[in-house]
Amino acid sequence: MARQSKRRGADWIGCIDFGTALSKFAMVKAVDREEIAPATIRPLAIAQGPGQQARNAFLLPSVIYVSGAQILFGQEAESAAIRDEASGRLAFVSPKQYLSTFDLDQVDGLLHKDIDPTGKFTPRKLLQLFLAYLVERAGSEAEKQGLPWPVRLRIARPAWNAGRAEAGEALLKDLVKSGFALADNLGPALTAPGGLSQRQALAALKKLPVSAASDADFFQLSADGNVSVREATAVASGSIRDNGRRVVVVADIGGGTSDFGAFATGLAWRNVIAEIEGSAAVLTEAGDHLDMLLRLFILRKAGLSGDHPAGAGAARRLLIHGRQNKERLFSEESLTVELGDRDVEVTLREFLEQPEVTQFADRLRERSRRTVEVAVACARDFQRVSRRRTPVSFLLTGGGHDLPMVKALAADPGVSWHYEEAKPNVAANAEELDFYNVYRQLAVAIGGAIQELPKETAPVRMELRVE
């Protein structure tokens, strides 16, 4: 029997956080919430392995590269794209955009020839292969840690609007089931150093079976039968303690989207949570948008245009190194980039003062303020009824949680009220976790893998209550 198709146990639950820039996978032991401890939370090191030298073992770059006769994934794909930058070839980056912001019909369309010169792969096929790589790495890491595999899964998803939700859920299910089927077929070839051969990939895709397995065979279903959990809900679920009624504002700043939402918790020891109606807001700009703005700023400083042959090579190089350049600029507060025969120096201060960057920060604050206003209105309403102060907690998660314009949202929410700091600390003594430095980036995957997600009641309106 194929390793990925074995019967799924019920002792642990896994969650795939298929991120725009970085993907994560976590497992949490299926125990009562009060029994969750550091030993029962296991993010898997899906970014490390043969041929992979990831900057962090838990954060898998969501990158696929069709290179020669091979297909590469993760950090190996990023590195190959950098080596081949002079050829004009591009990696398939931010594939989650096809789920979050693109017309879903595009998933079966043609890729640009700079990404796939063979013309044989669609976005769907590359997404299926990437999910196969992810679950193959997750299975290997789970077995290395002595954890059961496979396990029932949840999939984290963005805050889709009603028109996208049904089709997006169906696409997510197809991608994950196809990923397991491909992992069964291809096995360790998926994670071999040097990549997967295109010949093997195409052969496996060609005979990809229509899955006969029910959703219950693969997934930890919610009460309404969904296989996915909203990212903001997962974060809130993994951060709320049994300490009474409160309102939690979640700002999950990823690579492609900035998701905001507010939730009300129930009374003490009532494991319920409800979205506050009207609080959800999404900005389809996040870390990747800053990468683009930094790239354009450097080109301007160098006197180059990506649309002109003289600047095309520099533009490609900056595109490939975009995330690394941004991370270096924000951590070291300065950046020097070599473009041909010139060095371009950028300081964090001058970049943050650029009109496009301040406008992005303003849009973030506008979306955040809408959510905070609704959250505070709800807290005031609760307080009028209970005669007790209802605090509002502001929780920052995602890869962009530490950006200056994001931290400013929590430091000054813009609405007068009593605020408390919130941390994604589902386990007691979470600071003792050896992965605590990336806990906020793992918050979605960890929260989504908790067995007892708080029961989601009907959305809270000003005249309704969570009990």
Side-chain angles (χ1 to χ4, degrees):
M1 181 180 292
R3 179 169 64 96
Q4 301 288 4
S5 296
K6 291 191 297 186
R7 183 178 178 84
R8 284 159 169 75
D11 291 341
W12 290 76
I13 297 169
C15 180
I16 298 173
D17 178 12
F18 179 35
T20 305
L22 298 165
S23 294
K24 287 79 68 176
F25 189 100
M27 291 173 60
V28 176
K29 193 171 179 61
V31 296
D32 293 338
R33 287 179 68 89
E34 59 268 22
E35 296 179 43
I36 295 176
T40 65
I41 302 174
R42 299 286 188 89
L44 300 183
I46 58 175
Q48 70 181 17
Q52 301 283 11
Q53 298 294 326
R55 288 182 290 276
N56 187 287
F58 301 113
L59 309 178
L60 173 67
S62 301
V63 180
I64 309 142
Y65 188 55
V66 182
S67 171
Q70 306 299 115
I71 299 177
L72 306 174
F73 306 96
Q75 190 62 53
E76 195 173 17
E78 271 194 352
S79 300
I82 291 171
R83 289 195 305 269
D84 294 348
E85 61 184 353
S87 69
R89 295 289 318 289
L90 296 174
F92 184 41
V93 298
S94 304
K96 186 186 172 186
Q97 295 285 24
Y98 283 87
L99 303 175
S100 302
T101 59
F102 291 2
D103 186 331
L104 291 177
D105 290 340
Q106 291 179 265
V107 77
D108 292 308
L110 294 176
L111 289 159
H112 194 280
K113 64 180 182 180
D114 288 346
I115 296 174
D116 174 27
T118 73
K120 296 177 180 178
F121 296 96
T122 62
R124 182 191 295 272
K125 290 177 179 177
L126 290 185
L127 285 164
Q128 289 171 328
L129 289 167
F130 182 80
L131 266 295
Y133 176 87
L134 188 154
V135 300
E136 178 66 21
R137 286 291 311 124
S140 296
E141 285 300 309
E143 290 169 0
K144 189 183 298 182
Q145 294 190 37
L147 297 171
W149 187 264
V151 293
R152 286 190 173 87
L153 301 173
R154 292 193 185 100
I155 316 169
R157 64 168 176 83
W160 288 324
N161 58 38
R164 180 176 289 264
E166 184 176 351
E169 174 97 353
L171 178 56
L172 270 177
K173 286 193 292 188
D174 171 74
L175 292 175
V176 172
K177 288 183 178 181
S178 297
F180 273 93
L182 288 168
D184 273 338
N185 187 314
L186 295 166
L190 277 162
T191 56
L196 171 70
S197 82
Q198 291 183 31
R199 179 184 56 78
Q200 285 180 285
L202 290 167
L205 287 164
K206 186 175 182 179
K207 58 183 180 183
L208 189 62
V210 176
S211 177
S214 69
D215 290 348
D217 291 334
F218 271 84
F219 303 107
Q220 183 78 12
L221 300 179
S222 63
D224 56 7
N226 284 339
V227 307
S228 64
V229 56
R230 286 183 304 166
E231 291 166 356
T233 303
V235 169
S237 299
S239 308
I240 293 171
R241 312 297 294 175
D242 290 320
N243 50 7
R245 172 157 287 156
R246 62 192 54 244
V247 173
V248 181
V249 173
V250 176
D252 185 43
I253 313 300
T257 62
S258 300
D259 293 81
F260 300 90
F263 301 82
T265 68
L267 301 174
W269 308 108
R270 298 290 298 274
N271 189 29
V272 297
I273 186 173
E275 180 186 6
I276 301 172
E277 189 173 74
S279 70
V282 180
L283 179 65
T284 54
E285 299 170 332
D288 288 354
H289 187 70
L290 278 181
D291 297 352
M292 179 191 71
L293 295 181
L294 179 58
R295 171 175 169 254
L296 295 175
F297 179 53
I298 294 171
L299 285 172
R300 284 201 305 270
K301 287 202 74 171
L304 297 172
S305 170
D307 296 329
H308 191 277
R316 283 196 300 271
R317 190 173 307 115
L318 290 171
L319 178 63
I320 293 167
H321 293 274
R323 181 154 46 93
Q324 297 94 313
N325 285 338
K326 180 191 67 183
E327 291 173 355
R328 189 176 306 119
L329 176 63
F330 279 89
S331 64
E332 301 176 9
E333 298 190 358
S334 65
L335 174 69
T336 300
V337 179
E338 182 180 345
L339 295 180
D341 59 354
R342 70 191 81 181
D343 289 340
V344 181
E345 296 182 0
V346 178
T347 66
L348 179 58
R349 179 176 179 179
E350 65 176 333
F351 177 61
L352 293 177
E353 291 174 349
Q354 294 305 299
E356 299 89 347
V357 179
T358 59
Q359 290 162 15
F360 167 64
D362 290 343
R363 290 191 293 273
L364 266 182
R365 178 163 289 280
E366 177 190 357
R367 295 297 195 283
S368 176
R369 185 182 176 89
R370 291 183 201 172
T371 298
V372 171
E373 286 175 344
V374 174
V376 169
C378 183
R380 286 182 177 140
D381 200 44
F382 281 142
Q383 184 164 311
R384 280 194 293 270
V385 173
S386 67
R387 304 298 180 184
R388 296 179 180 179
R389 183 171 62 181
T390 301
V392 175
S393 301
F394 211 107
L395 178 61
L396 301 177
T397 60
H401 75 274
D402 207 32
L403 293 169
M405 63 280 292
V406 175
K407 290 194 291 186
L409 303 179
D412 179 17
V415 181
S416 178
W417 194 248
H418 173 67
Y419 295 93
E420 295 181 352
E421 181 184 5
K423 297 179 181 180
N425 58 348
V426 65
N429 304 317
E431 293 82 357
E432 298 176 5
L433 295 167
D434 57 6
F435 52 85
Y436 190 71
N437 63 319
V438 288
Y439 201 108
R440 290 181 187 269
Q441 287 170 272
L442 295 169
V444 169
I446 291 171
I450 294 171
Q451 175 180 241
E452 294 182 83
L453 291 180
K455 179 182 177 183
E456 287 195 60
T457 66
V460 173
R461 301 181 181 89
M462 294 305 104
E463 74 274 16
L464 298 180
R465 305 287 181 267
V466 181
E467 298 299 341

